[in-house]
Amino acid sequence: QHKNKLVSIHIPCYNESPDHVIKAIESCLNQTHTELEVVVIDNNTADEHMWRPIEKWCENKTRVRFFFVVKLKGYKAGALNMALKHTDLRAEFVALIDADYVAEPRWIETALAYIDTEKVAAVQFPQIYKKESGNDIEKLATLEQRMAFDIGLMPRTHHNATLLHGTMCVINRKVLDQMNGWATWSAADDSELGLRIALTGKDIRYVHENMGQGVAPQTVHEFFKQ
């Protein structure tokens, strides 16, 4: 029923590897659901060599728009709210993917199939890390994620207790607008938005299927920061 509905995919990034970001964008453009746009917001990256290659790659891509912002308040939530302002008015759904993720081609198509009633506000897929270095921090982060999604979210989804997790989710744009976007005051803006949605009585569906993989923290600093 959503075959011809426009989806706006938002990619917030800060100090990310250009190679990672470009691969993330490419994976979005290779979706089986072709009615989409990609909005990339680079927020506060100091090193020009980190964001200029992304900007250049995005040039002349008809379905991609790139924005670089200096001193944008609100961190990730601020970037996502800016992306909302640049979202095509025709878009009925907003999808979110981290800048170091690569989405499976059927991500959007699969998500839209689960939004089968007006009560379903969003669909959340698990966060999954791909194997990079195989070091102990990566193994620990991977285990922590598996516990959260394999054990924590599976029973919660049966009680409409699923929250959003910041990546690999697709949200009804009308609901997102009604929520006035993302909370810039919260460090857990994704969970906070999910809670506000749940309090309206609408459903967030968790689908335990691998629809994308990202890069795990590789150092203790990265792990605790995340």
Side-chain angles (χ1 to χ4, degrees):
Q1 61 175 327
H2 301 306
K3 183 177 180 181
N4 297 317
K5 301 293 179 66
L6 181 64
V7 178
S8 184
I9 304 177
H10 296 174
I11 306 178
C13 51
Y14 164 70
N15 206 35
E16 297 282 353
S17 158
D19 183 57
H20 284 162
V21 179
I22 290 169
K23 285 180 179 178
I25 299 171
E26 287 179 326
S27 74
C28 294
L29 295 177
N30 290 330
Q31 293 294 302
T32 54
H33 182 90
T34 56
E35 295 299 314
L36 58 83
E37 66 169 3
V38 181
V39 181
V40 185
I41 306 288
D42 191 298
N43 179 16
N44 299 332
T45 298
D47 187 352
E48 188 173 338
H49 295 92
M50 296 294 284
W51 63 268
R52 282 292 185 190
I54 305 169
E55 179 186 56
K56 183 173 179 58
W57 189 90
C58 291
E59 289 178 357
N60 303 319
K61 301 289 191 304
T62 57
R63 294 188 293 166
V64 183
R65 282 176 291 158
F66 174 86
F67 301 91
F68 172 73
V69 191
V70 179
K71 296 182 180 179
L72 180 64
K73 294 182 179 180
Y75 301 100
K76 184 177 180 179
L80 291 174
N81 284 336
M82 181 177 175
L84 275 175
K85 293 178 181 179
H86 291 282
T87 295
D88 192 310
L89 293 176
R90 298 170 299 164
E92 296 188 38
F93 299 95
V94 169
L96 179 62
I97 183 173
D98 278 353
D100 60 2
Y101 263 69
V102 172
E104 294 293 326
R106 291 183 59 253
W107 170 40
I108 299 298
E109 179 186 353
T110 302
L112 295 182
Y114 282 93
I115 306 177
D116 51 4
T117 69
E118 285 292 324
K119 192 178 181 183
V120 181
V123 174
Q124 175 69 60
F125 294 97
Q127 294 181 0
I128 295 176
Y129 290 136
K130 59 185 176 183
K131 188 174 181 179
E132 288 275 310
S133 65
N135 67 27
D136 289 342
I137 299 299
E138 179 179 279
K139 291 177 182 177
L140 178 62
T142 300
L143 176 62
E144 187 266 342
Q145 289 291 71
R146 295 279 51 79
M147 291 177 64
F149 289 94
D150 294 355
I151 300 174
L153 273 181
M154 289 300 289
R156 284 167 53 189
T157 191
H158 299 296
H159 302 283
N160 193 25
T162 300
L163 298 180
L164 298 176
H165 289 272
T167 189
M168 301 309 300
C169 59
V170 177
I171 309 169
N172 184 312
R173 198 266 185 83
K174 186 184 298 183
V175 172
L176 192 53
D177 287 342
Q178 290 170 350
M179 297 290 102
N180 294 316
W182 306 84
T184 56
W185 58 266
S186 175
D189 51 271
D190 44 11
S191 296
E192 191 276 342
L193 177 63
L195 180 59
R196 281 191 286 143
I197 290 174
L199 290 173
T200 69
K202 290 188 176 293
D203 293 341
I204 299 176
R205 290 190 174 174
Y206 173 63
V207 180
H208 193 62
E209 187 174 348
N210 180 5
M211 281 293 155
Q213 296 181 323
V215 178
Q218 299 295 314
T219 66
V220 173
H221 174 73
E222 289 178 0
F223 180 74
F224 282 106
K225 182 179 178 182
Q226 181 161 313

